[in-house]
Each structure stands twice: as structure tokens, then as C-alpha cells.
Amino acid sequence: MATEALIERILAAGDGPSSSAIDALHELLDDSTIEASAMPKSVAEASRLVGLSTHTLRYYEQEGLVRPARNASGYREYSAFDLRRLVFLTRMRLSGMTMTDLKRYILLVEQGPSTIPERRRIMLDQRDRITRQIRELGLALETTEYKIRVYDGHPEG
């Protein structure tokens, strides 16, 4: 399936992770499924597709997280590979991964397979942070639910 269609499927999933969105995300993160014939996207198209501002895309480029090619006129052209990396970056930023950790991770990716153990360590640490966040949010939800139940017994007036 085309990168653009996979991204649209993930973003259209709405509330909660559906099996369809999770399958699309897995396919998106698998470099072997990148279609070589896909037309590159402009910064505006890439921005719309991945849900980031053009300013953020340029910032990610400045920080070395993504390196879109330039066309003959000097405009950025985001390949399917670039779009997939942007999806990864947005998911990691959403989960709270720091820019420092992201830059380190991308640097390791670009150094090749010998860095896989260190990349795995970064992902394991990130998983631990996400798991903790989920527990903390669960407690916040329970607190909110408790207060709603309390207020149900005490009408506002």
C-alpha cells in the first residue's frame, strides 16, 4: 500500500488504536514496503499528510532528523522514506521522547546495523517511559472519574 494511504489510514483511525491503524503503522515502519515509484511531496503536501507545520518540518531538517532532497528549483521534496521517518518522529515526540534522544537515535540509524543494540536500548527506555505515562494517565482518569461520581451526587446550583 502507498505511504500516503497508510498515513491517511492511521490519522483517520480517530479514538483509540484500531487493528487497522496498528497494521498500517507496522507497514509504514517497515522499510521493505516503501514504494520506489511514489512521487515526492512538497513541504506543504508533506506537512498536511503527516499533520505537522511546515515550520516543524524545516526544524526537523535543521536538526538532522530528516533530509529531504531538493528539486532543480531548490524546493524540498519529501520521499516516501522521508514521510515514513516523519511518522516515526511524530509518534516518538507524542510519546515524550526528547529531541536529544531522537537526534541520537537517528544518528545511530544512519550509522547502520552495527548500532542496533544501542537503538534497541533507546527504544526499551522509551517503552518504559511510555508505560509509566500510561499508568500516570490511568490514575488521572480514575481521579477524574471519581470526581464526576462525587459531583453526580451534588447538583450544581
Side-chain angles (χ1 to χ4, degrees):
M1 178 176 285
T3 296
E4 186 170 347
L6 289 169
I7 292 170
E8 295 285 357
R9 204 162 104 199
I10 290 167
L11 296 177
D15 296 342
S18 68
S19 61
S20 172
I22 291 169
D23 289 344
L25 183 60
H26 288 179
E27 192 171 338
L28 235 152
L29 296 175
D30 180 358
D31 288 344
S32 71
T33 65
I34 293 176
E35 63 284 356
S37 63
M39 293 296 300
K41 305 291 181 212
S42 70
V43 70
E45 292 169 321
S47 169
R48 180 198 58 77
L49 192 57
V50 298
L52 295 172
S53 70
T54 57
H55 173 77
T56 300
L57 293 183
R58 290 182 183 106
Y59 173 71
Y60 282 178
E61 180 181 0
Q62 177 186 339
E63 294 298 313
L65 296 173
V66 66
R67 291 182 178 83
R70 301 274 181 154
N71 65 19
S73 301
Y75 294 109
R76 290 169 180 84
E77 290 187 327
Y78 290 84
S79 67
F81 176 83
D82 296 323
L83 295 171
R84 288 166 183 245
R85 178 168 285 179
L86 288 168
V87 168
F88 170 78
L89 294 170
T90 58
R91 296 301 95 196
M92 292 299 99
R93 289 295 293 151
L94 180 67
S95 73
M97 184 179 266
T98 66
M99 285 298 291
T100 301
D101 286 345
L102 268 177
K103 287 192 272 189
R104 176 74 183 141
Y105 183 84
I106 295 301
L107 179 68
L108 291 169
V109 167
E110 292 173 349
Q111 290 175 6
S114 66
T115 65
I116 287 174
E118 191 171 350
R119 286 187 265 159
R120 184 175 190 280
R121 172 52 35 210
I122 291 170
M123 287 294 108
L124 288 168
D125 291 345
Q126 184 62 17
R127 180 182 65 188
D128 291 346
R129 283 190 291 274
I130 293 168
T131 301
R132 181 177 174 86
Q133 277 181 303
I134 290 169
R135 284 195 313 265
E136 289 172 355
L137 286 171
L139 290 171
L141 179 60
E142 285 301 319
T143 302
T144 303
E145 293 290 346
Y146 170 77
K147 283 298 190 180
I148 291 169
R149 284 192 306 274
V150 167
Y151 295 141
D152 284 344
H154 298 85
E156 295 177 301

